[in-house]
Amino acid sequence: MEVIYQTALLKSRIGALRNSGRTIGFVPTMGALHEGHLSLVRFCRQQNDITVVSIFVNPNQFNDKTDLERYPRMPDKDLALLRSTGYDLVFMPGDKEVYPEPDTRVFDFGGLDRIMEGKHRPGHFNGVAQVVTRLFELVKPHKAYFGLKDFQQLAILRKVTSDLNFPVEIVSCPIVRECDGLAMSSRNMLLSQEERKRALALSQSLFQAKAMKVRHTPDEVKDFVTGRIQSSPGVDLEYFEIIDGLTLLPVSTWDDRHDVIGCIAARVGKVRLIDNINFSS
Ligand code: AMP
């Protein structure tokens, strides 16, 4: 197990590993690790000879400066968790190692960024695509692991890797939840005790929405979730959309050709949370 801070050293390690014919799996993260991240690391270890984890709070994907400043950082705890889970390389670069020059690339997501996170966080996915493609160029993974928790991010990264012909397989991993249903997130630790209780409105309304599917149309379910969240004290709904899992376009019936996903974003106090549920599984 090795922790690498510099791009040059990472490149030389990766070069040697690839020459030796070993398969490389990659888990990009922003740190403040929890079981959701560690589940990705475990999948990666099962499926590859070498597991590379990156910890980098990417400034380019934050459209809100305060959000970037408040983002939790705890490198020592992260490394201890990774040590007990197992890994081969951890890459923990500073900003200049990832972006020696400002990254001015502008990506075309073919409209996948027009709704939900893309609409509410302008520039967010462009920053995500910048960092992920940069990290792919450095780590040269055979497979890369992403959580379904960030559903729209996964759809967008699949498009970017295929448009740019990156020879990497994108592997999606299930959402890991706390015992009471709250989707695990690094941001959960920013919630006060009271806010932590209030945040349950997100997962609970998604579970209720799924149970309603048998008797109600997507529009009715959308109205229900919107109303429920709007009447939850201390929770400000940003959006709830019921979408086609491939095109990310809103659906009007359940018998869609692809998986139908309900995606929610809300602010609990100052903390912005997202979650989603698959209505088709
Ligand atoms: P982040 O550190 O928030 O950028 O997340 C790094 C990776 O972990 C992304 O692919 C996320 O989708 C994934 N992830 C975050 N939370 C969860 C969770 N609760 N369950 C599964 N994957 C997650």
Short mmCIF file of all heavy atoms in Angstrom, two decimals, residues 27-31 33-34 36-37 39-40 61 71 145-150 153 173-177 183-186, ligand 1:
data_model
loop_
_atom_site.label_atom_id
_atom_site.label_comp_id
_atom_site.label_asym_id
_atom_site.label_seq_id
_atom_site.Cartn_x
_atom_site.Cartn_y
_atom_site.Cartn_z
N VAL A 27 -11.08 4.02 -8.10
CA VAL A 27 -12.21 4.60 -7.37
C VAL A 27 -11.90 6.07 -7.08
O VAL A 27 -11.15 6.38 -6.15
CB VAL A 27 -12.45 3.85 -6.03
CG1 VAL A 27 -13.68 4.44 -5.32
CG2 VAL A 27 -12.62 2.35 -6.25
N PRO A 28 -12.46 7.00 -7.86
CA PRO A 28 -12.25 8.42 -7.56
C PRO A 28 -13.18 8.90 -6.46
O PRO A 28 -14.38 8.60 -6.49
CB PRO A 28 -12.59 9.13 -8.88
CG PRO A 28 -13.14 8.11 -9.80
CD PRO A 28 -13.25 6.80 -9.09
N THR A 29 -12.65 9.64 -5.49
CA THR A 29 -13.48 10.18 -4.40
C THR A 29 -13.01 11.58 -4.04
O THR A 29 -11.92 12.01 -4.44
CB THR A 29 -13.39 9.34 -3.10
OG1 THR A 29 -12.19 9.71 -2.40
CG2 THR A 29 -13.37 7.86 -3.36
N MET A 30 -13.84 12.25 -3.23
CA MET A 30 -13.43 13.55 -2.68
C MET A 30 -13.14 13.41 -1.19
O MET A 30 -13.12 14.42 -0.46
CB MET A 30 -14.51 14.60 -2.93
CG MET A 30 -14.72 14.84 -4.42
SD MET A 30 -15.36 16.48 -4.80
CE MET A 30 -16.91 16.42 -3.96
N GLY A 31 -12.94 12.17 -0.73
CA GLY A 31 -12.58 11.98 0.67
C GLY A 31 -13.76 12.10 1.61
O GLY A 31 -14.91 12.02 1.19
N LEU A 33 -14.45 9.81 3.75
CA LEU A 33 -14.95 8.51 3.29
C LEU A 33 -15.94 7.89 4.27
O LEU A 33 -15.85 8.07 5.48
CB LEU A 33 -13.77 7.55 3.09
CG LEU A 33 -12.71 8.01 2.08
CD1 LEU A 33 -11.62 6.96 1.95
CD2 LEU A 33 -13.33 8.30 0.71
N HIS A 34 -16.89 7.14 3.71
CA HIS A 34 -17.87 6.39 4.50
C HIS A 34 -18.09 5.05 3.82
O HIS A 34 -17.43 4.75 2.81
CB HIS A 34 -19.17 7.21 4.62
CG HIS A 34 -19.67 7.72 3.29
ND1 HIS A 34 -20.16 6.89 2.31
CD2 HIS A 34 -19.73 8.98 2.78
CE1 HIS A 34 -20.52 7.60 1.26
NE2 HIS A 34 -20.26 8.88 1.51
N GLY A 36 -20.27 4.00 1.84
CA GLY A 36 -20.60 4.07 0.41
C GLY A 36 -19.32 4.01 -0.42
O GLY A 36 -19.21 3.20 -1.36
N HIS A 37 -18.34 4.83 -0.05
CA HIS A 37 -17.06 4.81 -0.76
C HIS A 37 -16.38 3.45 -0.62
O HIS A 37 -15.85 2.89 -1.57
CB HIS A 37 -16.10 5.86 -0.19
CG HIS A 37 -16.56 7.28 -0.31
ND1 HIS A 37 -16.92 8.03 0.78
CD2 HIS A 37 -16.72 8.08 -1.39
CE1 HIS A 37 -17.26 9.25 0.38
NE2 HIS A 37 -17.16 9.31 -0.92
N SER A 39 -17.62 0.59 -0.14
CA SER A 39 -18.25 -0.48 -0.93
C SER A 39 -17.69 -0.46 -2.35
O SER A 39 -17.45 -1.51 -2.95
CB SER A 39 -19.78 -0.34 -0.93
OG SER A 39 -20.18 0.73 -1.76
N LEU A 40 -17.43 0.73 -2.88
CA LEU A 40 -16.83 0.83 -4.22
C LEU A 40 -15.42 0.22 -4.21
O LEU A 40 -15.04 -0.50 -5.14
CB LEU A 40 -16.72 2.31 -4.63
CG LEU A 40 -17.86 2.98 -5.40
CD1 LEU A 40 -19.21 2.81 -4.76
CD2 LEU A 40 -17.57 4.45 -5.65
N GLN A 61 -15.55 21.64 -9.70
CA GLN A 61 -16.94 21.18 -9.77
C GLN A 61 -17.84 21.87 -8.75
O GLN A 61 -19.01 21.54 -8.64
CB GLN A 61 -17.01 19.66 -9.62
CG GLN A 61 -16.76 19.13 -8.23
CD GLN A 61 -16.68 17.61 -8.23
OE1 GLN A 61 -15.77 17.03 -8.79
NE2 GLN A 61 -17.66 16.96 -7.62
N TYR A 71 -16.64 21.89 2.61
CA TYR A 71 -16.61 20.45 2.31
C TYR A 71 -15.66 19.74 3.29
O TYR A 71 -14.53 20.19 3.50
CB TYR A 71 -16.18 20.21 0.86
CG TYR A 71 -16.61 18.84 0.40
CD1 TYR A 71 -17.89 18.62 -0.07
CD2 TYR A 71 -15.75 17.75 0.51
CE1 TYR A 71 -18.32 17.35 -0.43
CE2 TYR A 71 -16.16 16.48 0.15
CZ TYR A 71 -17.45 16.30 -0.33
OH TYR A 71 -17.87 15.04 -0.67
N TYR A 145 -15.02 2.82 -10.83
CA TYR A 145 -16.21 2.52 -10.01
C TYR A 145 -16.87 3.81 -9.53
O TYR A 145 -16.20 4.67 -8.95
CB TYR A 145 -15.79 1.63 -8.82
CG TYR A 145 -15.32 0.29 -9.33
CD1 TYR A 145 -14.04 0.17 -9.87
CD2 TYR A 145 -16.16 -0.81 -9.33
CE1 TYR A 145 -13.62 -1.03 -10.41
CE2 TYR A 145 -15.74 -2.02 -9.86
CZ TYR A 145 -14.47 -2.12 -10.40
OH TYR A 145 -14.06 -3.30 -10.95
N PHE A 146 -18.19 3.88 -9.77
CA PHE A 146 -18.96 5.07 -9.37
C PHE A 146 -20.25 4.61 -8.70
O PHE A 146 -20.80 3.56 -9.05
CB PHE A 146 -19.28 5.95 -10.59
CG PHE A 146 -18.06 6.55 -11.23
CD1 PHE A 146 -17.41 5.88 -12.26
CD2 PHE A 146 -17.55 7.76 -10.80
CE1 PHE A 146 -16.27 6.41 -12.85
CE2 PHE A 146 -16.41 8.30 -11.38
CZ PHE A 146 -15.77 7.62 -12.41
N GLY A 147 -20.75 5.43 -7.76
CA GLY A 147 -21.96 5.07 -7.04
C GLY A 147 -23.22 5.55 -7.76
O GLY A 147 -23.24 6.64 -8.34
N LEU A 148 -24.27 4.72 -7.70
CA LEU A 148 -25.56 5.11 -8.28
C LEU A 148 -26.20 6.27 -7.51
O LEU A 148 -27.16 6.87 -7.97
CB LEU A 148 -26.51 3.91 -8.29
CG LEU A 148 -26.25 2.94 -9.44
CD1 LEU A 148 -26.86 1.58 -9.14
CD2 LEU A 148 -26.79 3.50 -10.75
N LYS A 149 -25.66 6.55 -6.32
CA LYS A 149 -26.14 7.70 -5.55
C LYS A 149 -26.11 8.97 -6.40
O LYS A 149 -26.99 9.80 -6.33
CB LYS A 149 -25.25 7.85 -4.31
CG LYS A 149 -25.24 9.21 -3.69
CD LYS A 149 -26.01 9.21 -2.43
CE LYS A 149 -26.03 10.52 -1.69
NZ LYS A 149 -25.08 11.52 -2.07
N ASP A 150 -25.04 9.10 -7.21
CA ASP A 150 -24.92 10.26 -8.11
C ASP A 150 -25.35 9.80 -9.50
O ASP A 150 -24.53 9.63 -10.40
CB ASP A 150 -23.48 10.77 -8.11
CG ASP A 150 -23.08 11.29 -6.75
OD1 ASP A 150 -23.28 12.46 -6.47
OD2 ASP A 150 -22.60 10.47 -5.92
N GLN A 153 -24.56 11.93 -12.60
CA GLN A 153 -23.11 11.94 -12.82
C GLN A 153 -22.67 10.68 -13.57
O GLN A 153 -21.87 10.74 -14.51
CB GLN A 153 -22.40 12.02 -11.46
CG GLN A 153 -20.91 11.77 -11.52
CD GLN A 153 -20.24 12.01 -10.17
OE1 GLN A 153 -20.02 13.15 -9.80
NE2 GLN A 153 -19.94 10.96 -9.45
N CYS A 173 -22.27 1.10 -8.90
CA CYS A 173 -22.41 0.36 -7.64
C CYS A 173 -23.63 0.88 -6.87
O CYS A 173 -23.90 2.09 -6.89
CB CYS A 173 -21.16 0.52 -6.78
SG CYS A 173 -19.65 0.06 -7.64
N PRO A 174 -24.36 -0.04 -6.17
CA PRO A 174 -25.60 0.36 -5.50
C PRO A 174 -25.40 1.42 -4.41
O PRO A 174 -24.31 1.54 -3.84
CB PRO A 174 -26.10 -0.94 -4.88
CG PRO A 174 -25.07 -1.97 -5.10
CD PRO A 174 -24.04 -1.45 -6.02
N ILE A 175 -26.50 2.12 -4.11
CA ILE A 175 -26.47 3.15 -3.05
C ILE A 175 -26.37 2.46 -1.69
O ILE A 175 -27.13 1.53 -1.41
CB ILE A 175 -27.76 3.99 -3.08
CG1 ILE A 175 -27.92 4.69 -4.42
CG2 ILE A 175 -27.77 5.01 -1.93
CD1 ILE A 175 -29.22 5.50 -4.55
N VAL A 176 -25.44 2.91 -0.87
CA VAL A 176 -25.34 2.39 0.50
C VAL A 176 -26.05 3.38 1.42
O VAL A 176 -25.83 4.59 1.33
CB VAL A 176 -23.87 2.21 0.92
CG1 VAL A 176 -23.77 1.71 2.35
CG2 VAL A 176 -23.17 1.24 -0.03
N ARG A 177 -26.92 2.85 2.29
CA ARG A 177 -27.74 3.69 3.17
C ARG A 177 -27.42 3.43 4.64
O ARG A 177 -26.98 2.33 4.99
CB ARG A 177 -29.23 3.41 2.92
CG ARG A 177 -29.66 3.73 1.51
CD ARG A 177 -31.15 3.47 1.27
NE ARG A 177 -31.48 3.85 -0.10
CZ ARG A 177 -31.69 5.10 -0.49
NH1 ARG A 177 -31.69 6.06 0.40
NH2 ARG A 177 -31.94 5.39 -1.76
N ALA A 183 -29.38 8.06 2.66
CA ALA A 183 -28.26 7.69 1.79
C ALA A 183 -26.97 8.23 2.39
O ALA A 183 -26.91 9.39 2.80
CB ALA A 183 -28.48 8.28 0.39
N MET A 184 -25.95 7.39 2.46
CA MET A 184 -24.68 7.87 3.02
C MET A 184 -24.10 8.96 2.14
O MET A 184 -24.18 8.89 0.91
CB MET A 184 -23.69 6.72 3.14
CG MET A 184 -24.08 5.78 4.24
SD MET A 184 -22.70 4.72 4.67
CE MET A 184 -23.49 3.70 5.88
N SER A 185 -23.53 9.96 2.78
CA SER A 185 -22.92 11.08 2.05
C SER A 185 -21.90 11.74 2.97
O SER A 185 -22.11 11.82 4.19
CB SER A 185 -24.01 12.09 1.68
OG SER A 185 -23.41 13.32 1.32
N SER A 186 -20.83 12.24 2.37
CA SER A 186 -19.82 12.96 3.16
C SER A 186 -20.45 14.19 3.80
O SER A 186 -20.01 14.67 4.84
CB SER A 186 -18.67 13.41 2.27
OG SER A 186 -18.13 12.31 1.60
P1 AMP B 1 -17.72 11.71 -3.59
O1 AMP B 1 -16.59 11.52 -2.66
O2 AMP B 1 -18.97 12.22 -2.95
O3 AMP B 1 -17.34 12.44 -4.86
O4 AMP B 1 -18.12 10.24 -4.07
C1 AMP B 1 -17.17 9.38 -4.66
C2 AMP B 1 -17.91 8.18 -5.22
O5 AMP B 1 -18.59 7.51 -4.17
C3 AMP B 1 -18.96 8.58 -6.28
O6 AMP B 1 -18.92 7.63 -7.32
C4 AMP B 1 -20.24 8.47 -5.50
O7 AMP B 1 -21.36 8.18 -6.31
C5 AMP B 1 -19.94 7.32 -4.56
N1 AMP B 1 -20.82 7.35 -3.40
C6 AMP B 1 -21.02 8.39 -2.55
N2 AMP B 1 -21.96 8.08 -1.64
C7 AMP B 1 -22.37 6.82 -1.91
C8 AMP B 1 -23.34 5.94 -1.34
N3 AMP B 1 -24.07 6.29 -0.30
N4 AMP B 1 -23.48 4.72 -1.90
C9 AMP B 1 -22.74 4.36 -2.97
N5 AMP B 1 -21.83 5.13 -3.57
C10 AMP B 1 -21.65 6.35 -3.04
#
